[in-house]
């Protein structure tokens, strides 16, 4: 419900800040500015909590956790003999449904009310500077005016390629892949990025026969090459058909409920019961009134480090829409920065000296981006790959360690396989990036993030002593490899 009466008439309201989009990013912007004493409204046309809560981070991890836990149990003496049965798919899917609140947002709505943020249900569009028009679901029309700022936090949506037969084939996107009520017998996954490999991992563990089709030469192309190699090998060992260097030419569905045929360039084809296209995302900016403020609809929004849109002193673009780092945690980080900047500018009469941005300046979303891919094995990374460091002009060196050489790894799981790489700036002797592959490595990532973000000298890292015997001893092995002059294996 909106705060206004739903009587079909246009009503006008004024707030200090208006937020378009009530996903995790929009919620965090609203929370920060409201905590600073600014009156705040958010506009949302779908569920409060957004993509992450209902169709991405939360449901995907609910699907993946049983798969990973079973895999870990199979490598623990005394337990592995009891972990070879199939997953209870019905129980896993029911838990997934509980995690997403059965696609109801009552709790999120209550939270907004508890922090005194006004919610407007409906589609919001900019209508000139500092004005947002909301078309409600029952035909009501609200005009919201922002005294200080409008924040665009509308996120992204999945992109489907233009292929013959695809619209009629009813393909899955990430939304269908995380919300399906049944396990397909055969699933064809197109795309080797994070969504593709995570969903291939989850549905294969739940019993689907998975074929993974990748146009490029490997999986996870934005990460160190060995990361994708480990994931591809693991998927293949569990029975997936992983094909790289292939392109889809057409898709055909046999009737409404029949199988789907994915035709490849060159004439080969793959059959499945469902096909998931995980081939990219685009910003949800095509119908939010950008043209009324001189911006191009449908495009990414360019911002400064306080998340303010270039050329507009009142307009902010936070999260995926600015294309800086398309991950929920990075968007929430940006939201905290944007909220602080909006509040500071409001307190200062609209001004905030660029040289004095300080805590109002986002840097981690390009200098120390963190990511965990919840496959088996897990992949975690922060900062630059070796290739990216060299492309950026750094005189860099990479050192690699086989995780099997770490005492804690052998205790964590028999036959532990993994690899970790540290990329070092040779001129400053600080860490530019770290990539870890192996079970449980996501929990090692924050130590790497602190090293990269804090620009901790290698000489100081020797005095950060890892506990024995834990996976964190990988840090000691990396430092030894760097000292001894070892390079990539």
């Amino acid at each position: 419900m909106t705060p206004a009466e739903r009587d079909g008439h246009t009503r006008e309201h004024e707030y200090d800040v208006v937020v378009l989009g009530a996903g995790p990013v929009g919620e965090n912007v609203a929370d920060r500015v409201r905590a600073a004493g600014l009156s705040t409204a958010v506009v949302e046309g779908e569920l409060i909590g957004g993509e992450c809560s209902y169709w991405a981070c939360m449901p995907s991890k609910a699907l993946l956790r049983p798969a990973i836990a079973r895999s870990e149990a199979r490598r623990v003496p005394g337990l592995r003999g009891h972990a070879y049965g199939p997953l209870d798919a019905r129980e896993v899917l029911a838990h997934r449904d509980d995690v997403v609140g059965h696609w109801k947002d009552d709790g999120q709505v209550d939270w907004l009310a508890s922090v005194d943020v006004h919610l407007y249900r409906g589609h919001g569009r900019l209508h000139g500077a500092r004005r947002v028009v909301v078309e409600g679901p029952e035909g009501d029309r609200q005009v919201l005016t922002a005294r200080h700022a409008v924040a665009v936090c509308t996120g992204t949506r999945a992109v489907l390629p233009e292929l013959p037969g695809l619209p009629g084939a009813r393909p899955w996107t990430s939304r269908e892949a995380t919300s399906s009520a049944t396990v397909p017998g055969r699933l064809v996954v197109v795309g080797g990025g994070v969504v593709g490999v995570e969903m291939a991992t989850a549905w294969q563990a739940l019993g689907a026969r998975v074929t993974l089709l990748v146009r490029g030469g490997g999986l996870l192309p934005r990460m160190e090459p060995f990361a994708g190699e480990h994931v591809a090998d693991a998927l293949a060992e569990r029975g997936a058909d992983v094909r790289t260097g292939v392109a889809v030419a057409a898709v055909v569905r046999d009737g409404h409920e029949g199988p789907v045929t994915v035709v490849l360039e060159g004439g080969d084809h793959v059959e499945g019961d469902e096909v998931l296209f995980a081939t990219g995302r685009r910003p949800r900016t095509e119908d939010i009134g950008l043209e009324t403020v001189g911006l191009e609809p449908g495009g990414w929004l360019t911002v400064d480090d306080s998340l303010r849109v270039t050329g507009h002193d009142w307009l902010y673009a936070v999260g995926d829409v600015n294309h800086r780092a398309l991950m929920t945690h990075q968007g929430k980080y940006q939201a905290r920065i944007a909220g602080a900047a909006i509040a500071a500018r409001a307190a200062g009469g609209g001004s905030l000296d660029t040289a004095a941005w300080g805590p109002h300046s986002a840097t981690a979303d390009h200098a120390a981006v963190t990511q965990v891919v919840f496959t088996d094995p897990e992949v975690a990374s922060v900062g630059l790959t070796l290739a990216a460091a060299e492309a950026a002009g750094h005189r860099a060196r990479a050192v690699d360690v086989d995780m099997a050489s770490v005492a804690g790894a052998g205790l964590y799981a028999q036959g532990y396989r993994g690899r970790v790489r540290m990329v070092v700036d040779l001129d400053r002797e600080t860490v530019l990036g770290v990539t870890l592959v192996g079970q449980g490595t996501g929990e090692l990532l924050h130590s790497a993030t602190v090293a990269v973000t804090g620009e901790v000298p290698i000489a100081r890292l020797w005095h950060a002593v890892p506990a024995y015997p834990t996976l964190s001893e990988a840090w000691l092995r990396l430092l030894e490899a760097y000292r001894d002059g070892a390079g990539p294996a």
Side-chain angles (χ1 to χ4, degrees):
M1 296 294 291
T2 70
E5 298 174 8
R6 295 185 182 279
D7 57 6
H9 298 294
T10 298
R11 294 183 177 273
E12 299 200 9
H13 313 270
E14 189 174 57
Y15 298 91
D16 291 321
V17 180
V18 176
V19 180
L20 278 180
V25 174
E27 287 179 317
N28 272 268
V29 172
D31 186 38
R32 289 300 166 119
V33 296
R34 187 67 196 93
L38 301 178
S39 60
T40 308
V42 297
V43 180
E44 178 56 62
E46 291 190 295
L47 295 175
I48 311 304
E51 198 79 12
C52 175
S53 298
Y54 303 102
W55 299 286
C57 322
M58 298 304 290
S60 66
K61 304 317 168 278
L63 293 173
L64 285 159
R65 181 57 194 151
I68 293 168
R70 182 181 65 173
S71 177
E72 291 179 344
R74 287 175 174 177
R75 294 183 173 91
V76 177
L79 183 60
R80 57 189 173 198
H82 302 281
Y84 276 89
L87 293 175
D88 185 331
R90 179 178 297 180
E91 186 175 357
V92 172
L93 296 179
H95 175 64
R96 183 270 321 270
D97 294 351
D98 288 341
V99 166
V100 300
H102 298 268
W103 291 276
K104 295 180 181 179
D105 61 3
D106 298 356
Q108 301 276 28
V109 172
D110 290 344
W111 175 79
L112 284 176
S114 74
V115 295
D116 197 23
V117 171
H118 295 274
L119 169 62
Y120 290 84
R121 297 275 196 183
H123 185 72
R125 296 180 183 85
L126 293 168
H127 191 67
R130 294 183 173 85
R131 286 170 65 85
V132 174
V133 175
V134 184
E135 301 290 344
E138 298 176 19
D140 55 309
R141 189 171 186 265
Q142 314 287 340
V143 179
L144 313 181
T145 300
R147 283 183 285 266
H148 296 297
V150 174
V152 176
C153 309
T154 49
T156 59
R157 59 164 50 90
V159 175
L160 287 172
E162 295 184 3
L163 291 171
L166 187 59
R170 301 182 308 284
W172 279 7
T173 66
S174 54
R175 283 198 169 193
E176 290 78 17
T178 57
S179 63
S180 176
T182 58
V183 179
R186 300 168 298 172
L187 175 64
V188 181
V189 180
V190 182
V194 175
V195 173
V197 297
E198 285 192 347
M199 290 297 93
T201 299
W203 289 110
Q204 181 183 59
L206 287 168
R209 296 193 300 278
V210 171
T211 301
L212 183 59
L213 306 175
V214 183
R215 177 185 288 272
L219 310 187
L220 302 174
R222 297 182 183 276
M223 307 184 89
E224 295 283 10
F226 67 82
E229 292 167 5
H230 274 272
V231 173
D233 289 347
L235 284 168
E237 285 176 6
R238 294 179 178 89
D241 181 3
V242 180
R243 306 187 194 185
T244 59
V246 296
V248 176
V251 181
V252 180
R253 172 79 75 172
D254 184 9
H256 185 72
E257 299 294 337
V260 62
T261 301
V262 179
V263 181
L264 307 180
E265 291 183 0
D268 198 3
H269 68 276
V270 180
E271 284 196 353
D273 297 294
E274 301 291 351
V275 58
L276 162 63
F277 275 83
T279 50
R281 301 186 71 82
R282 67 184 178 206
R284 291 176 177 265
T285 59
E286 69 279 5
D287 188 23
I288 60 169
L290 291 181
E291 67 281 359
T292 71
V293 294
L295 295 169
E296 186 68 28
W300 306 99
L301 295 171
T302 303
V303 298
D304 62 23
D305 281 348
S306 70
L307 290 311
R308 188 169 57 175
V309 175
T310 302
H312 296 75
D313 63 2
W314 56 273
L315 184 63
Y316 292 74
V318 193
D320 288 4
V321 290
N322 62 40
H323 207 238
R324 286 167 67 113
L326 276 67
M327 284 162 280
T328 297
H329 51 277
Q330 296 293 160
K332 291 166 70 173
Y333 161 76
Q334 290 180 8
R336 296 191 290 271
I337 299 295
I342 291 168
R345 288 192 173 110
S351 64
L352 182 62
D353 185 355
T354 301
W357 279 1
H360 316 306
S361 179
T363 58
D365 55 359
H366 54 79
V369 175
T370 54
Q371 183 168 24
V372 178
V373 186
F374 293 85
T375 46
D376 179 23
E378 214 162 56
V379 179
S381 69
V382 60
L384 301 178
T385 63
L386 177 60
E390 292 174 340
H394 294 284
R395 194 168 69 89
R397 177 173 145 224
V399 291
D400 289 2
V401 166
D402 183 348
M403 285 293 291
S405 69
V406 177
L411 294 169
Y412 193 96
Q414 285 196 328
Y416 191 105
R417 285 185 288 178
R419 183 172 168 185
V420 57
R421 168 171 289 183
M422 176 175 70
V423 179
V424 178
D425 183 326
L426 292 173
D427 295 319
R428 302 178 64 210
E429 288 219 311
T430 56
V431 182
L432 294 170
V434 177
T435 299
L436 309 105
V437 178
Q439 290 179 320
T441 53
E443 300 303 330
L444 293 180
L445 183 61
H446 198 62
S447 59
T449 304
V450 171
V452 173
T453 304
E455 300 178 342
V456 182
I458 294 291
R460 287 300 303 159
L461 285 177
W462 279 102
H463 299 281
V465 181
Y468 179 87
T470 67
L471 293 176
S472 61
E473 273 204 307
W475 276 106
L476 177 58
R477 301 292 168 248
L478 285 169
L479 294 173
E480 290 171 341
Y482 180 72
R483 177 198 62 194
D484 298 340

